[in-house]
Structure formats: structure tokens, C-alpha cells
Amino acid sequence: MAKTKKAAPPDFPFYQYLHLFYTENRGTIQRSYKLLTKKFLEHNNPATGGWLRQPQYEALEMYVFLKEGLDNRMLHEVFKDWYEKRGAFAGRAESKVGQRSMLELFEDMDTAQYKQVFETFQQFQLNYPNYIFALTMGLGKTVLMATSIFYEFLLANKFPQDPKYCHNALVFAPDKTVLQSLKEIQTFDKSKVVPPEYVAWLDMNLQFHFLDETGTSLNVLDRSRYNLIISNNQKIILKRQHKEKTKGELLFAADVEKYRSKSVKDEYADLYGDIEDEGDLIGNQRFQKLLRLEQLGVYVDEAHHAFGATLEKDLMRKGKTSLRLTIDELAAGLKETGTRVVGCYNYTGTPFVESKVLPEVVYAYGLKPAIDGAYLKQVDIKDYENTKAREFIHAVVKDFWAEQKGKRYEGMLPKLAFFSSTIEECTTELRPALEHVLADMGIPISSILVNVGDDKVTTNDDIREFNLLDTPGSEKQFILLVNKGKEGWNCRSLFSVALHRKPKSTVFVLQATMRCLRAITDIQQRATVHLSVENKAILDDELKQNFRLSIKDITERPNDDEPVQVRVRIPKVTVKLKRIRKLYVKKDKEPPTGLDFGTEDLDESKYRIVVGVQRSISSTNRIAADVTEEYKRREKYTALTLVAELSRYMNKSPLVVQEVLERSKEGLPALVELVNKYNEVVYDVLVPKLFEAFYELQAYEKQEEEEVDLVKDPGDDGCYWVKGKKHLIVPMDSPEYKKFSTRSFHLDNYVFDSKPEKEMFDTLLADTNVQQVYFTGMLTHGQSDFAVPYIDPVSHSLRTYYPDFLVLKGDGSYIIIEVKRDDQIDDEVVLAKADYARQMAVASGMTYKMVAGKEAGKGMN
């Protein structure tokens, strides 16, 4: 019987495979990154105190992987290598995710299916790399985009000849509202996402250009670098298209040239062209200026400002006036001037168009995981049937007031927004009805704010109040809006929205609904959406089209994490610690003649790429092949560039460094040959050896005793908020633990991260040799002074480590205990934390112990 051919898949979520491959091989991949890149990533890593949220960091990791791991290549080339297991994907494992999931299905794709998917990628191929990062509203796409640009400029400055880094950036914003949020980049605290030692350089060299008005010209120096140009009009760099002249106009215009007087400009007529008004001239000036910039990166912010077909049109070059065609024309013009568009990076809210995956998506974090991960508010959807406008408003306001009366969040009053389809409906129906309802409930009418986009209704004072809504000083709580549901209006204190009438655009229901989901406070809050039955059906359909979700999906509560108020017990617990202050003084010394870099004993195996093949599960024979020459990516050094690189690290004259290398045991030519074979030798061998040769370090140490609080005062809130799983929350007043309140609980609730931590706590409480035990590992964001400063071995940055337990033994001595997962015990960062904690413990007369999770039940033993 003939084998049935598998049907071609409807679409291919390659971005999921790409992310899976990266997460499974993160360590190996990052070893090939440049040192500055490693430092940049480590600074932003949420796991080590980075400011970015996890989805933002994952998207940044993918951005860097495409840039440095995959050399900024076209996505169809990346897919081909992935399928054929070549290049960066050599030897990749077969990934299976879930039982017969979409990922598992595509691991089994045959050649015909592969060709079909490959052709789909090729269909959207451009003359430059084009990537789509799809992060749902509220996750911080604008900050992510700014962080990516900062990364580009830092690397471009360090490696100016590398063609994959952007020297300039052009940002497209869909409208003025989004443009205002982009302006915040200029005043944004860059140290949150950029290692501190590079912030001053960015502030000095970064040039901002905001083209928010039609008449604004672009003033940049030719061939200058580090320009960040932000425009709110996708088509400004293309000359405006005018309607074709009629035959009558052509007839009467035919003889104009015969009678036109000569002008001094005639000799230079080609320079002026067919410019009919100032708008044309400005657009042309901007285009010409952009063509004089090198290595341009194009960033499309809020590319999902119009869901559905409009997004597909813009991203897929459908239509002569589309955003994509504009960028194509810019790329072609730059190529003619000898430079290029490095890449186009689109930031959208969804990876889907009409429920189909966009082919060039490289990372996605959807609406459902954003809600589940507490990056957005939880949401309740309430529908109303057979209600008139006033009845609908009364029901909505009553529900909102019952939930939010008297509350403030981060000092701000919660807001309720009513969306209207037309200005007339807003002013003649909604506003009178709302005023009547508020009067009946004793709520001041002054709490109403109307913004409809018409200066006859909305005054300048109203606009100012609207812009101040998300501030503690705003007293407005009931907002009437027309056409303000789109991207760019960011109001975190908006807790509820209501739509009674069906709008002209069905996607507006989705856009307006999502306005109230932005997170506020450290604990996940809940928003409420009030819809007519008709609008609820529209919302459900739009969720399916744009997110492959339903109303049921976004309103489910999947996890059992609970918010817990944690209060400090009085008197506060303190402990005396000895802080070790170290000072290192660098002194110059004369380097020896004939410096030996020790390359003869160098273990080169750690730099080789080896692929092993085992023919069967039962076979013990593994055939290994060295494929370094084929797959290793290398920087090509000459004697001149090697000397220049090393002199920058040593802060020495290149002539001095060159002399030392030439007189070394190996000699300069042999060293150049070695570093071209293995680039890592520059930083692993040459830099440390030269530093020892040029400098002598003298260390000075000072110990200072100080008394620190195990937990700081929480301030005006009176408590800290922590989330945890119910079975890992231990209240002091619970029957099981109340008897231990004098031996523990410097906080009224302990919230453990894992089962082994709770096992350790229970074991220590039962230990008669333990006098006091405090869980100190739950407040890790500056709420405690019981912390250990340490140098991160990956980023070489100063970090802070908070141990899990402080135990006072019966003999009066202290022991600090850290519980770690079994697979993390030997991690280099974990070992660095332990080393610094052990130094502080010894100086303070304490003991430090790290315990594997499987041993937690044994307590101190």
C-alpha cells in the first residue's frame, strides 16, 4: 500500500524553533559573542538583577543571536541552515515540544514540505534582512527598540568596519501619539539598559532628530554616525504623488515654455526638478539627507497600529504607497551611494495576520502568556443585553464604583473610559447620561473628562488634563473618548473600559479593550471590560483573528500564584557584619625581554568545534570530526590590527606593545597566525599575559563592622507585596507555625520560591541546636541590607546577592545557608556568589554553606 503523503502545513512557526534552539544552546552560542556583547546581555539579564522584563530580554537575546550568532543573514538562509543542520545549527538535536504539537509535526517534515516553507520565506525576501518582533501591548516594545539601538551603536563604535552593525537608526512611528512616547527615549535613564561605563559615551555621541511636523527638515552631517531619527509619517521620504493632468491642462500648458522669461536658475534646472510645493521640497531634502548616512538600521515601532489587512499590507509590500515600498526605495538609494540598509526591525503586537503566522517573525510573546506572567492586568469581560445607553452607563458605573471607590494605585485614582463611535453620540447621549448617573450616586461631575479630537468640544485645558491622567495629581476618573483606542495612549491607571454601540471598525473593539490591561503596582491587578452582547461577539472574533485566542482564554486564571502582604515585625532584627573593603593600586613596570605567552602548552581543544556521530543507540563507537575550519567564525587580524587591539586594552603606545610582541618567545608573526586560528587567544592568553608584564597590582584590604537590618522599612505603604504559590506561603499566625514565632519570622509571612527551601526551613525549625532561623531570600530587590556584593564573572559587573537563610545556632554562632538546584551548584556565577559570601562570613565570624536541593531535608547536616 502506497504511503500517504503528508499535507503541507498551513503556516510554519519557525520563530518557536529558533527560540528553542537558542535556549538549548545558549551557553555555547554566547561563547562566540564579543566581550562587549556578553557584558551588555549580562547587564540586562533579569535573573541577575537586570531592569528589562523577561520577554524584553528574550527578544533582545534573539536580536543579538541573529546579529552575532547568525551574522545578520536573511531569514530564508537561516531557515535553510536550520533544516539542513549546517553552520550555526550543525549537530542540532531533534526538538520535540509537547505531544504531537506543531513543533513536533514540523520536525518530521519531508522534502516537499520543506521546499514549500522555504519558498514562502523566499516570497517575502527583500534586499536586506527583515525581522519581526511580536510582543503584545504593554510589554515595552519601545524600550526594547531603544535598547537594541544602543547595543548597535556601542558595537559599531567598537567595530566600525563590521558591516553588520548599524551606525545610524531611522525609526518610523505610526502617529503623533506614539511619537510622544518615543520622545521619552531621549530622557530615558540609559544606565538601566546600558552598562554604566558606556552611558557617558552614548550621551556624548547620540544625536536625536524628531521629524514630527511636515515642515521639519532633517539636519544631519553627511556621513555622520550615531544619529537616531524618529518620524511619525511613513511616507515622508517618498515624493508625493499628484494626480495626472487632464488633456485640457496639458494643452494649455504646452506653450508655456515658449513665453517664459529666462532665469538665472535655468542653468541649474536639473537641481530643482518638479517641486510643486514646500511639502515636496522637504520630503526630497529628507530623502537626500538619509542617503548620505552610512549603515542605516530601520526600526518600525508599533507596526501593529492597524491590525489585520493593514499590517499585512505594510509589512508585505502590497500597494505602491506602503511603508515597505518606502523602505525598499531607501535601501536602493543607499546601495547606489555605496552603503546599505543593515536591516529592518519591525516591532508588532501579534505574530498573526488573519490567524496566519507572519513568515518573518523571529520572536513572539503573546497576549495570553503576558496576562499569565503578570506583565498585564487580569481581565474580566461583562456583557449587557437589551440595555439603553443610560441603563448601560448606570450598570457600568455602579460596578466600577463598588470595586474602586476610595482606592489609589501608586498614588493614582483608578479610571473608567467610555468609548463612543461619534462625537455626536458622545456629546448628546453619553455625557448627559453619565452626568445624571454620577449626580444620583453623589459623585462629583468634575471627575468627567471629554476628549473627542474636536477643539469645539475638547479645550486645551482638557488636553492638558488628558496628558496628566496617569499622575497622582489627576482627579479625573470618568473619561469619554472618541477614537482613542489605538496604540500610543498609555494609561496604567485605567481599570475599566465600556463600549455600548457597535463601532465602524470591528478591530477598534479589540484595540479599546486592550487599553485597560497595562500593569500597575508590583502585584497583578484586575481590569474589567463592559461590552454589549454584539461587541462581545466582535471581540471574540478579533481575538481569534489576531491572537488565535478566545475570550475564555484571556479570562482564565491558570496559575495558583497569590499576592501576599508582607509586614515587618517590631522590633526589627539586626545582625553585625564585617564588610571587606579592597583597594587595588596599579603600578607600571618594565616588561621582560623574551616574554613567554605559554602558547606551546596551550590546550587548543577547547577552541575547536567537534561534531560527533553515533550510528545507533547500542553502538559505543562515536566518530568525531573536527569542523573548526568549516564553521568557526573568525575576525581576521594583521600584525597592525592585533597590536592596535592589545594597545587599547593595555593603555600603552602601540609601538611599545609591538616591541614586546616582536621580542616575545613566540614572535609577532606566530602570534598573529595563532589568533587568526583561534580568536579567543587574544583575550584568554595575550591580554592577561601582557597585563602581568606591564603592571603590578598592590592590594589593600580594610574591614569595617556595621550593624544591618534584615529588612528595611517599607515606607508609606506599610508592607511589601510578594507573589507565591499557595503551598509555599507560610503565615506566622498559622496553627502549624504559630509556636515558632519567637524563634523565627522577622516578617509576618514567608514566601518560598521552591519546595527545597521550605523543606530546609521546616528542618531548621525542628533542630534543637538552632536558636533562631530567618528566611532572607524572598526580598531581593534592595529591601534588605543583609546582602553580599560580588563581581559577576561573566559581565565583570558589580552585583548584589541575597542568601536564603541566616541561622543563629545554640552556641551563639551564625551560619549562612544557600539552597540551590542540583544543576546550578557548579554554575560559575553561583560559585562566585559563594566565594564572596564566604569571605564576608569568615570576616564576620560566621560560616557559609551551600546546600543542593536534594539535600535540603537534612538541614545543617
Side-chain angles (χ1 to χ4, degrees):
M1 182 176 179
K3 185 177 179 180
T4 304
K5 186 177 179 62
K6 290 181 283 188
D11 50 15
F12 181 59
F14 180 51
Y15 65 92
Q16 296 182 20
Y17 275 115
L18 206 57
H19 186 250
L20 181 64
F21 173 81
Y22 177 81
T23 54
E24 290 178 345
N25 301 275
R26 180 183 282 108
T28 304
I29 292 169
Q30 290 191 0
R31 275 199 292 271
S32 67
Y33 287 177
K34 293 176 170 56
L35 182 62
L36 175 54
T37 302
K38 294 178 184 177
K39 187 176 293 188
F40 193 90
L41 287 174
E42 185 62 25
H43 179 79
N44 285 291
N45 190 347
T48 55
W51 185 76
L52 292 182
R53 293 172 165 183
Q54 189 63 33
Q56 291 173 307
Y57 180 69
E58 290 178 1
L60 178 64
E61 281 189 303
M62 188 55 58
Y63 185 101
V64 173
F65 176 45
L66 291 162
K67 181 74 61 172
E68 295 198 23
L70 300 175
D71 208 29
N72 205 50
R73 299 169 69 200
M74 304 288 190
L75 201 56
H76 74 274
E77 296 174 340
V78 174
F79 170 69
K80 185 177 181 180
D81 279 359
W82 172 84
Y83 179 76
E84 297 177 356
K85 300 182 181 179
R86 299 188 312 177
F89 302 99
R92 71 170 175 85
E94 299 288 343
S95 301
K96 306 277 184 177
V97 182
Q99 186 66 28
R100 295 310 299 169
S101 68
M102 183 69 80
L103 289 180
E104 185 180 11
L105 173 65
F106 283 110
E107 281 292 359
D108 300 329
M109 71 164 62
D110 57 25
T111 305
Q113 291 173 323
Y114 157 73
K115 287 182 177 179
Q116 183 178 357
V117 174
F118 183 72
E119 287 171 0
T120 302
F121 278 108
Q122 279 192 313
Q123 178 186 350
F124 298 102
Q125 177 184 343
L126 303 169
N127 295 323
Y128 47 85
N130 186 58
Y131 307 127
I132 300 174
F133 296 86
L135 289 85
T136 198
M137 176 276 305
L139 290 182
K141 290 185 288 296
T142 301
V143 169
L144 170 63
M145 182 183 62
T147 304
S148 303
I149 294 173
F150 297 156
Y151 156 78
E152 292 278 2
F153 287 176
L154 289 175
L155 271 293
N157 177 59
K158 180 76 172 176
F159 305 97
Q161 302 304 318
D162 197 320
K164 63 175 172 280
Y165 298 116
C166 302
H167 294 177
N168 296 279
L170 171 63
V171 181
F172 284 121
D175 55 38
K176 288 187 177 181
T177 311
V178 175
L179 183 66
Q180 291 302 316
S181 66
L182 283 172
K183 283 189 174 181
E184 296 174 7
I185 296 175
Q186 193 166 11
T187 56
F188 175 66
D189 182 2
K190 299 180 186 66
S191 64
K192 291 181 177 180
V193 296
V194 175
E197 59 267 36
Y198 299 104
V199 172
W201 180 89
L202 266 179
D203 286 335
M204 187 183 304
N205 291 275
L206 190 58
Q207 299 295 322
F208 286 90
H209 307 272
F210 292 96
L211 308 180
D212 51 350
E213 300 294 339
T214 304
T216 306
S217 61
L218 176 58
N219 298 312
V220 294
L221 296 176
D222 294 355
R223 301 301 178 189
S224 59
R225 295 179 179 178
Y226 318 124
N227 295 289
L228 204 170
I229 304 158
I230 300 174
S231 168
N232 69 315
N233 185 344
Q234 297 96 322
K235 307 175 187 68
I236 59 163
I237 61 173
L238 287 182
K239 189 174 178 180
R240 291 197 185 118
Q241 299 293 318
H242 299 279
K243 66 180 181 179
E244 187 177 350
K245 292 182 178 180
T246 65
K247 292 181 179 180
E249 289 171 333
L250 290 173
L251 174 63
F252 289 107
D255 291 330
V256 169
E257 290 297 318
K258 293 181 180 179
Y259 305 106
R260 188 171 62 86
S261 60
K262 292 273 185 178
S263 167
V264 291
K265 295 182 179 179
D266 285 355
E267 185 179 350
Y268 309 101
D270 289 343
L271 297 180
Y272 294 94
D274 183 23
I275 303 296
E276 296 188 14
D277 59 32
E278 186 183 355
D280 272 345
L281 180 62
I282 296 298
N284 194 47
Q285 183 269 347
R286 291 173 176 176
F287 183 72
Q288 293 301 326
K289 276 293 187 181
L290 289 171
L291 295 184
R292 296 170 190 168
L293 296 178
E294 298 175 335
Q295 298 285 103
L296 185 66
V298 179
Y299 296 81
V300 183
D301 191 29
E302 302 289 10
H304 62 293
H305 67 280
F307 289 87
T310 305
L311 175 61
E312 185 177 29
K313 175 184 174 182
D314 277 347
L315 295 181
M316 305 310 172
R317 298 188 297 172
K318 294 185 177 181
K320 291 186 179 180
T321 59
S322 70
L323 167 61
R324 184 57 53 204
L325 183 58
T326 299
I327 300 171
D328 287 349
E329 291 293 324
L330 178 59
L334 285 169
K335 186 176 181 181
E336 289 181 4
T337 62
T339 182
R340 61 200 284 262
V341 167
V342 176
C344 182
Y345 310 95
N346 307 275
Y347 295 81
T348 79
T350 171
F352 307 110
V353 166
E354 296 180 355
S355 197
K356 292 184 179 180
V357 176
L358 289 164
E360 291 173 313
V361 173
V362 293
Y363 179 80
Y365 200 92
L367 180 60
K368 173 67 172 172
I371 294 175
D372 293 347
Y375 300 115
L376 298 176
K377 298 185 184 86
Q378 293 179 339
V379 60
D380 289 331
I381 310 291
K382 296 188 177 183
D383 62 271
Y384 300 79
E385 190 173 6
N386 299 325
T387 55
K388 296 179 181 180
R390 183 172 172 179
E391 296 168 341
F392 175 77
I393 292 173
H394 183 267
V396 170
V397 173
K398 183 178 180 181
D399 182 87
F400 172 78
W401 206 242
E403 178 67 25
Q404 303 295 351
K405 181 181 179 180
K407 293 183 179 179
R408 283 184 179 264
Y409 301 86
E410 296 182 6
M412 294 180 285
L413 289 170
K415 279 86 178 172
L416 162 64
F418 287 93
F419 288 95
S420 178
S421 301
T422 64
I423 296 176
E424 182 181 1
E425 179 194 349
C426 179
T427 55
T428 61
E429 292 186 41
L430 280 182
R431 183 168 187 168
L434 179 60
E435 289 177 348
H436 195 280
V437 169
L438 294 185
D440 286 346
M441 297 179 64
I443 303 171
I445 296 178
S446 60
S447 60
I448 298 175
L449 178 64
V450 180
N451 186 357
V452 299
D454 184 344
D455 54 13
K456 294 179 181 178
V457 179
T458 302
T459 66
N460 288 335
D461 288 341
D462 292 332
I463 296 297
R464 187 179 67 252
E465 286 281 2
F466 184 79
N467 292 332
L468 294 174
L469 277 176
D470 229 17
T471 63
S474 175
E475 296 297 323
K476 305 295 184 181
Q477 286 191 270
F478 301 92
I479 322 300
L480 299 180
L481 301 170
V482 176
N483 197 32
K484 272 289 178 184
K486 294 185 178 181
E487 298 300 331
W489 181 43
N490 304 329
C491 186
R492 297 184 304 123
S493 57
L494 183 63
F495 272 77
S496 189
V497 297
L499 289 91
H500 185 232
R501 297 273 177 85
K502 178 184 176 182
K504 294 178 181 178
S505 170
T506 56
V507 76
F508 185 81
V509 178
L510 175 60
Q511 293 170 331
T513 296
M514 295 179 68
R515 291 303 89 209
C516 65
L517 297 187
R518 290 185 180 273
I520 188 171
T521 75
D522 294 333
I523 297 300
Q524 188 177 29
Q525 304 296 334
R526 181 171 300 168
T528 307
V529 176
H530 304 269
L531 302 171
S532 63
V533 171
E534 183 181 25
N535 282 336
K536 181 181 179 182
I538 292 173
L539 175 62
D540 196 54
D541 183 64
E542 290 296 327
L543 284 169
K544 291 173 182 175
Q545 291 291 321
N546 293 288
F547 293 102
R548 288 184 176 176
L549 295 171
S550 65
I551 287 178
K552 181 182 178 183
D553 292 328
I554 67 171
T555 54
E556 284 181 339
R557 310 284 185 261
N559 60 57
D560 58 349
D561 283 3
E562 295 184 0
V564 182
Q565 280 190 343
V566 178
R567 300 184 183 277
V568 182
R569 291 184 67 193
I570 303 298
K572 290 196 288 187
V573 178
T574 61
V575 62
K576 290 184 178 180
L577 296 176
K578 280 193 176 180
R579 300 294 191 189
I580 303 173
R581 317 288 184 189
K582 290 186 177 182
L583 173 67
Y584 294 92
V585 177
K586 182 184 69 173
K587 291 189 174 183
D588 291 337
K589 67 179 183 180
E590 287 296 323
T593 302
L595 178 63
D596 183 4
F597 286 97
T599 57
E600 290 183 356
D601 302 323
L602 180 66
D603 180 14
E604 297 184 8
S605 62
K606 60 183 178 180
Y607 303 127
R608 297 194 186 107
I609 299 176
V610 178
V611 176
V613 179
Q614 189 168 324
R615 297 301 180 188
S616 65
I617 296 176
S618 59
S619 173
T620 57
N621 295 324
R622 177 177 177 269
I623 303 172
D626 185 347
V627 294
T628 305
E629 289 297 325
E630 185 177 357
Y631 296 123
K632 192 83 168 180
R633 296 189 301 106
R634 301 185 181 94
E635 296 283 347
K636 184 68 175 177
Y637 285 96
T638 65
L640 189 63
T641 56
L642 179 60
V643 168
E645 180 73 2
L646 293 173
S647 65
R648 286 200 297 173
Y649 270 90
M650 296 301 111
N651 197 25
K652 291 286 186 181
S653 165
L655 295 176
V656 174
V657 173
Q658 181 177 354
E659 184 179 1
V660 171
L661 295 179
E662 288 175 343
R663 294 185 177 183
S664 67
K665 180 180 178 181
E666 291 83 356
L668 182 55
L671 292 174
V672 171
E673 181 182 354
L674 181 61
V675 299
N676 280 328
K677 189 176 181 181
Y678 305 115
N679 287 171
E680 297 90 342
V681 171
V682 174
Y683 310 106
D684 291 354
V685 178
L686 302 190
V687 169
K689 285 286 186 181
L690 281 175
F691 188 86
E692 292 176 6
F694 282 122
Y695 302 107
E696 176 185 353
L697 286 182
Q698 293 183 350
Y700 299 90
E701 183 177 299
K702 181 181 179 181
Q703 295 185 3
E704 297 177 347
E705 186 175 79
E706 59 182 20
E707 190 171 20
V708 301
D709 295 330
L710 285 194
V711 62
K712 297 178 183 177
D713 191 329
D716 295 338
D717 293 340
C719 68
Y720 294 112
W721 283 95
V722 181
K723 291 189 73 173
K725 300 190 181 302
K726 190 172 183 179
H727 66 284
L728 295 177
I729 299 172
V730 176
M732 178 188 67
D733 293 333
S734 63
E736 184 180 355
Y737 291 96
K738 194 171 185 178
K739 58 185 176 182
F740 297 114
S741 61
T742 57
R743 294 182 55 206
S744 185
F745 294 102
H746 64 301
L747 301 166
D748 64 349
N749 291 292
Y750 282 163
V751 183
F752 297 96
D753 292 328
S754 64
K755 185 178 178 182
E757 286 181 351
K758 186 173 182 298
E759 287 179 355
M760 171 64 76
F761 180 66
D762 291 338
T763 304
L764 292 172
L765 283 178
D767 191 337
T768 55
N769 292 323
V770 172
Q771 185 176 338
Q772 300 282 339
V773 53
Y774 301 108
F775 178 54
T776 55
M778 61 185 283
L779 298 177
T780 59
H781 293 86
Q783 302 102 322
S784 171
D785 286 328
F786 183 64
V788 181
Y790 73 100
I791 302 296
D792 189 295
V794 177
S795 67
H796 307 291
S797 302
L798 181 64
R799 304 284 188 193
T800 304
Y801 156 52
Y802 299 86
D804 286 334
F805 293 95
L806 176 65
V807 179
L808 176 61
K809 298 167 64 177
D811 60 6
S813 63
Y814 282 96
I815 180 170
I816 302 170
I817 298 177
E818 175 71 20
V819 179
K820 274 293 171 197
R821 278 194 349 229
D822 300 353
D823 62 330
Q824 292 182 339
I825 287 289
D826 297 323
D827 180 81
E828 60 178 324
V829 175
V830 171
L831 293 176
K833 292 178 181 178
D835 181 47
Y836 282 86
R838 197 168 283 113
Q839 292 180 44
M840 185 191 75
V842 170
S844 305
M846 302 178 180
T847 305
Y848 177 84
K849 180 177 288 188
M850 184 175 292
V851 180
K854 63 182 179 182
E855 305 290 336
K858 298 179 181 179
M860 291 187 297
N861 301 317

